[in-house]
Amino acid sequence: GGAGLFWAIENATIKNLVIDESCSIESTNNIAGGLCAAASGDVVIDNVTNHASVTGVTQAGGLVGQVMGYAIFTVTNCVNTGSIAATSTAEDIDTFAGGIAGCIIDGQNTTLENVSNVGGVSSSSKTQAYAGGIVGLTASVLKLIGVTNEGKVTASGTVYATAGGIAGLTEVNAEVSKAHNTGDVEAT
């Protein structure tokens, strides 16, 4: 299961949407995202703002918790101001949290352009924890253009923890330009 304004989107274009701060999005057993828990296929998200707090167990993102199995994933002109947290107390679950996306995997063409996060981002796990102001972890070719993080980013993992003002971890080629971070970053 998962939680979001939409549980999942596939081959979709979503534009001009605001998720109000009176909302709270929480998954007590899996993935959560302000806009959607999961995204796949060809997805375009433009001019979407999330003000809601987002809490998940495995992955949490200001817009999308988990992105996977897609050809094109494009996010432009989007903002997150809500607090984002992925927290697990299980012995065998890694956690991923990002101001825009928690985890991006198995894709071919990812572009995040003119996006920003001002909400706090935290990832906590008894195994591995990944947190990023924009993306927690990406295992897909990624372009980050004109991205900004102002929120505090923290990762706490018993085995491994990684935190980044922009990205917690990029496992595949990442192209970054005009990125700016002013948020505190801490991994323990």
Side-chain angles (χ1 to χ4, degrees):
L5 182 62
F6 302 98
W7 181 84
I9 58 174
E10 183 175 4
N11 298 320
T13 297
I14 298 177
K15 294 182 175 184
N16 306 320
L17 178 69
V18 176
I19 302 161
D20 191 77
E21 63 270 0
S22 65
C23 298
S24 176
I25 298 174
E26 180 178 1
S27 173
T28 58
N29 67 350
N30 208 341
I31 306 166
L35 178 63
C36 65
S40 62
D42 292 346
V43 173
V44 175
I45 300 170
D46 180 53
N47 195 33
V48 173
T49 299
N50 176 55
H51 297 295
S53 62
V54 178
T55 305
V57 175
T58 55
Q59 293 124 11
L63 296 182
V64 181
Q66 180 186 67
V67 182
M68 67 180 295
Y70 64 95
I72 298 170
F73 181 71
T74 303
V75 179
T76 54
N77 308 310
C78 293
V79 177
N80 175 66
T81 66
S83 62
I84 310 301
T87 304
S88 175
T89 57
E91 298 292 332
D92 60 349
I93 295 179
D94 297 343
T95 57
F96 310 87
I100 301 298
C103 184
I104 302 174
I105 55 175
D106 298 332
Q108 299 171 3
N109 186 358
T110 303
T111 302
L112 305 179
E113 185 170 2
N114 296 327
V115 299
S116 63
N117 173 62
V118 297
V121 177
S122 67
S123 180
S124 177
S125 171
K126 289 195 174 187
T127 56
Q128 299 179 82
Y130 304 87
I134 303 298
V135 178
L137 176 137
T138 180
S140 298
V141 175
L142 174 67
K143 289 183 184 175
L144 295 166
I145 305 163
V147 297
T148 302
N149 175 60
E150 297 176 19
K152 182 177 182 179
V153 179
T154 60
S156 175
T158 304
V159 176
Y160 182 79
T162 181
I166 302 299
L169 180 65
T170 57
E171 292 184 335
V172 183
N173 295 340
E175 183 181 316
V176 181
S177 63
K178 299 179 185 172
H180 187 73
N181 175 65
T182 58
D184 292 340
V185 178
E186 179 181 322
T188 58

